[in-house]
Amino acid sequence: MSKTIAVLGATGSIGCNVLHCVDQFPEQFRVQALTTHTHVDKLLELVKRYKPEFAAVTGRSPADHDINLFQDLGVTVFTGQDALTRIAAKADYDLFVNSVVGAAGFLPTLAALDRGKEIALANKETLVIGGELVMKKAHEKGITILPIDSEHSAVFQSLMGEEHQAVEEIILTASGGPFRTWDRERFSQVTVEQALNHPNWSMGNKITIDSATMMNKGLEVIEAHWLFDVPVEKVRVVIHPQSIIHSMVAFRDGSVKGQMGVPDMRVPIQLALTWPERWSSDFPRLDFDTLRELTFTPPDFQKFQCLALAYDAANRRGTAPAVMNAANEAAVQLFLSNVIRFDQIPELIDRALQDFNHVSKPDEAELIRADQWAREFVLAKKS
């Protein structure tokens, strides 16, 4: 029997890799829904190829001519800010693959969980913004959220067959990004082009900038805290420039388990699609004849202030992670638009965290309000 899937963010780097994995097993998967933010032409090509019943465009509303092209193919098209949530609520799918970037992925995940659907999650912001709400709903529905991020997939795999109480520490590895060896004083001169030049991974612009500031790792710390039900202080980050060990779990008897592989997102994606089984693939394998070193160093929290801010927000809980995430999204966009300097990104996030009147036990509406406030705050403070 084939598995029907909805792919949010189908035209992004993760979404494209998801569809590549689907292509390897055409008899086992049926694509039911595809979405994009702005790449309407690319989405139309995918619709023609995969023939889903639903599609969504979340950015600028497409022209009537474009909508007609989708409808002529028998596809129901949703547009606007709530398009992803409508897809999650209306489409008939078995597996909900959330690979959109940013806070836009939060509400659709909740909508899919409400329907009791399996979740394959690449959108780490879902758990950063509302981890407590999301995991509570997942537990109530008996749903295991399958991580797509290479780091969380590595932890997920390392925990297979283990008792939760035996976990001593989760160790997330980080490449260190393009500025791992730079002095902090040079950060004020970082250009957009330099920040987008990641040494190991090919990702979208926003995630690549987050990797350069190490905010991406901070978001992953919060995600791991909720996903694996461990205290924040038991989630540690180490710099591993080779990106071969994708993350590790340390146990109370002194053992450490990790997952290794070449830096290829298709490996964790395919596992999420086929779990609880492992299917064959033709993905590149590690060559131990040429692999020369695996090195590890602690992160510099003074240099990578975004990582420190993420830990601080995680410990403050409540609305703090949502404010931090939204402020970061807004600041990164300003940097990509050459409005602010690279080193001003953590400054704006810190100011937003300090100025917001935080709520300790927020509901869904309060989290959305915190998100909107932080974006407006950063845009107003940019000068």
Side-chain angles (χ1 to χ4, degrees):
M1 180 180 295
S2 64
K3 181 182 290 186
T4 57
I5 65 173
V7 184
L8 273 60
T11 60
S13 60
I14 297 293
C16 289
N17 280 321
V18 169
L19 294 175
H20 177 89
C21 292
V22 167
D23 290 341
Q24 308 309 302
F25 308 99
E27 300 300 320
Q28 281 74 32
F29 295 107
R30 164 89 169 87
V31 177
Q32 183 73 356
L34 296 168
T35 82
T36 189
H37 186 54
T38 56
H39 297 289
V40 178
D41 291 342
K42 188 172 182 180
L43 181 64
L44 184 60
E45 293 176 6
L46 294 177
V47 165
K48 291 177 180 177
R49 179 173 180 178
Y50 294 99
K51 299 178 174 58
E53 294 186 18
F54 294 87
V57 180
T58 57
R60 181 175 54 86
S61 295
D64 291 341
H65 170 71
D66 291 324
I67 292 179
N68 290 336
L69 291 175
F70 284 104
Q71 292 175 339
D72 289 344
L73 295 169
V75 177
T76 299
V77 184
F78 296 129
T79 62
Q81 291 185 340
D82 66 343
L84 299 182
T85 303
R86 294 169 71 190
I87 284 276
K90 298 292 186 182
D92 183 17
Y93 53 86
D94 303 312
L95 178 65
F96 187 75
V97 182
N98 189 342
S99 59
V100 299
V101 176
F106 172 52
L107 293 179
T109 301
L110 287 177
L113 285 171
D114 280 334
R115 299 179 64 193
K117 301 298 185 178
E118 292 184 2
I119 308 291
L121 191 65
N123 176 256
K124 56 183 63 66
E125 291 85 358
T126 287
L127 292 175
V128 171
I129 294 169
E132 187 169 5
L133 294 178
V134 172
M135 295 311 297
K136 180 182 178 182
K137 187 162 293 190
H139 290 317
E140 289 172 352
K141 298 288 186 177
I143 294 169
T144 299
I145 296 180
L146 304 168
I148 285 179
D149 274 344
S150 61
E151 295 85 354
H152 299 86
S153 179
V155 174
F156 181 79
Q157 294 177 64
S158 298
L159 288 171
M160 287 181 180
E162 300 289 351
E163 296 180 348
H164 183 268
Q165 61 267 30
V167 175
E168 187 171 82
E169 188 177 39
I170 287 176
I171 305 167
L172 300 179
T173 57
S175 69
F179 309 125
R180 176 176 58 87
T181 61
W182 284 39
D183 293 330
R184 180 182 173 187
E185 290 71 24
R186 297 177 61 192
F187 279 15
S188 62
Q189 280 79 50
V190 168
T191 67
V192 171
E193 182 180 14
Q194 289 170 327
L196 289 175
N197 186 26
H198 195 280
N200 297 341
W201 298 93
S202 176
M203 305 174 289
N205 286 356
K206 192 267 181 183
I207 298 177
T208 306
I209 299 302
D210 281 352
S211 180
T213 64
M214 288 201 70
M215 175 57 84
N216 197 48
K217 205 55 52 178
L219 299 179
E220 290 175 4
V221 167
I222 301 174
E223 183 181 8
H225 157 61
W226 290 114
L227 195 59
F228 303 115
D229 189 25
V230 295
V232 175
E233 60 269 20
K234 288 191 175 184
V235 184
R236 183 159 60 98
V237 173
V238 297
I239 305 298
H240 171 51
Q242 296 83 17
S243 296
I244 297 298
I245 298 179
H246 298 302
S247 279
M248 298 169 279
V249 177
F251 297 95
R252 61 187 178 189
D253 63 352
S255 298
V256 179
K257 290 173 64 176
Q259 184 262 335
M260 303 173 68
V262 297
D264 189 331
M265 282 303 304
R266 293 173 299 174
V267 176
I269 288 170
Q270 181 171 301
L271 180 62
L273 295 181
T274 65
W275 186 84
E277 299 177 359
R278 289 185 188 268
W279 294 359
S280 298
S281 81
D282 60 357
F283 305 150
R285 267 53 173 174
L286 274 180
D287 183 356
F288 288 97
D289 290 336
T290 60
L291 183 62
R292 290 292 175 262
E293 63 177 1
L294 300 174
T295 60
F296 306 91
T297 57
D300 185 337
F301 287 91
Q302 294 298 317
K303 183 165 69 172
F304 294 106
Q305 295 172 303
C306 284
L307 182 57
L309 289 169
Y311 270 102
D312 177 60
N315 285 313
R316 294 173 69 170
R317 302 173 69 92
T319 50
V323 169
M324 177 209 66
N325 177 73
N328 176 65
E329 287 188 29
V332 167
Q333 191 55 53
L334 291 175
F335 171 68
L336 286 168
S337 302
N338 290 302
V339 176
I340 65 171
R341 299 189 312 271
F342 182 78
D343 62 326
Q344 290 179 298
I345 294 174
E347 293 176 6
L348 287 170
I349 298 169
D350 189 31
R351 290 167 69 182
L353 281 168
Q354 297 303 323
D355 283 23
F356 186 69
N357 186 19
H358 290 283
V359 178
S360 60
K361 287 286 186 180
D363 58 22
E364 184 179 315
E366 288 168 326
L367 290 170
I368 297 301
R369 282 196 293 271
D371 176 278
Q372 294 172 341
W373 178 92
R375 294 173 195 277
E376 294 170 1
F377 177 89
V378 168
L379 292 175
K381 297 292 184 180
K382 64 181 182 295
S383 58

